[in-house]
């Protein structure tokens, strides 16, 4: 059964545009960009997502050894296109077991990356980038600085700006963030659609972290 769109910041149900407003409405956060149901991993699902994406669909490339793509999410509607995208990844945790991560691109103010990171606001807040960056990734020859956010032991996250959009890399546990040193560069999966160098990412079982972190919530 298809799940209705929800608020990207809190998971509550949202009201669609109506006679008096063209925006989706959350009772807690007002006008929002609707979060669509989590998509399963697979090439057909990716092909359906790419034409809608108005922001990058980031993937670390090459992927860390043994890691696979395990799901997708996006915020937007038929009129706006996807103004936020999330690519879930799973693979060997550096300290043993299975690790999970999500890479997010989003327009300012949407709040999807912050929600996955467990933050209250729609973004990383003020001052996170006043020190030297904690990591850098490359895209088409350019370095993108990223800053480590203090998220405690439950999660770890890095954020910065790329192509005028927020970029987030959120790890399901702080230990898994040790993998950040293996992520040297990013590719935009829209290159597949736009006729760039072909990418054939490997797919795995659906991500438990993405599904639980973005599960719709009651009011």
């Amino acid at each position: 059964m298809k799940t209705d769109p929800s608020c990207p910041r809190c998971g509550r149900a949202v009201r669609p545009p109506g006679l008096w407003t063209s925006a989706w409405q959350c009772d807690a956060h007002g006008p929002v960009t609707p979060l669509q149901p989590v998509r399963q991993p697979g090439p057909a699902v990716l092909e359906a997502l790419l034409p809608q994406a108005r922001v990058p669909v980031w993937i670390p490339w090459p992927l860390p050894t043994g890691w696979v793509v395990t799901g997708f999410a996006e915020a937007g509607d038929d009129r706006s296109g996807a103004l936020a995208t999330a690519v879930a990844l799973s693979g060997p945790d550096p300290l043993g077991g299975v690790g999970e991560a999500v890479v997010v691109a989003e327009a300012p103010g949407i709040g999807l990356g912050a929600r996955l990171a467990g933050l209250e606001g729609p973004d990383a807040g003020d001052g996170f980038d006043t020190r030297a960056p904690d990591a850098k990734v490359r895209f088409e020859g350019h370095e993108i600085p990223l800053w480590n956010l203090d998220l405690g032991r439950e999660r770890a996250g890095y954020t910065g700006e790329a192509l005028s959009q927020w970029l987030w890399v959120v790890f399901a546990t702080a230990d898994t963030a040790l993998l950040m040193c293996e992520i040297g560069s990013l590719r935009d999966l829209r290159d597949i659609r736009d006729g760039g160098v072909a990418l054939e990412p490997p797919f795995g079982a659906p991500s438990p972290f993405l599904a639980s972190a973005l599960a719709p919530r009651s009011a």
Side-chain angles (χ1 to χ4, degrees):
M1 183 174 63
K2 181 176 174 60
T3 305
D4 291 331
S6 58
C7 175
R9 293 181 59 181
C10 68
R12 292 179 173 87
V14 289
R15 298 188 302 277
L19 213 56
W20 307 109
T21 177
S22 61
W24 293 77
Q25 298 285 328
C26 169
D27 288 342
H29 296 111
V32 296
T33 301
L35 176 67
Q36 302 300 326
V38 170
R39 294 177 182 255
Q40 300 298 298
V45 171
L46 176 59
E47 288 294 332
L49 169 62
L50 293 178
Q52 303 177 34
R54 302 295 179 263
V55 297
V57 184
W58 291 124
I59 184 174
W61 199 261
L63 285 168
T65 302
W67 279 65
V68 294
V69 176
T70 53
F72 305 97
E74 84 271 10
D77 58 20
D78 291 340
R79 181 184 58 181
S80 69
L83 301 179
T85 65
V87 178
L89 308 164
S90 299
D93 188 288
L95 299 183
V98 176
E100 294 193 83
V102 182
V103 185
V104 176
E106 63 181 341
I110 291 180
L112 179 58
R115 179 177 172 192
L116 286 164
L119 300 175
E120 290 294 329
D123 53 44
D126 296 330
F128 74 91
D129 57 352
T130 56
R131 64 182 191 278
D134 300 295
K136 293 181 180 179
V137 293
R138 297 185 66 82
F139 174 67
E140 293 188 344
H142 300 284
E143 284 193 337
I144 302 169
L146 297 173
W147 285 265
N148 187 11
L149 304 172
D150 184 10
L151 304 180
R153 295 292 299 172
E154 293 299 318
R155 299 177 192 179
Y158 290 78
T159 192
E161 181 183 314
L163 303 181
S164 301
Q165 313 291 344
W166 282 108
L167 165 63
W168 300 76
V169 184
V170 179
F171 297 92
T173 68
D175 290 342
T176 309
L178 294 171
L179 196 74
M180 194 69 207
C181 65
E182 295 187 35
I183 299 176
S185 61
L186 299 176
R187 290 291 302 273
D188 183 353
L189 286 172
R190 294 181 301 173
D191 288 347
I192 298 174
R193 182 194 66 196
D194 295 336
V197 177
L199 295 178
E200 297 182 359
F203 296 98
S207 165
F209 174 60
L210 187 67
S212 61
L214 297 184
R217 302 173 187 172
S218 58

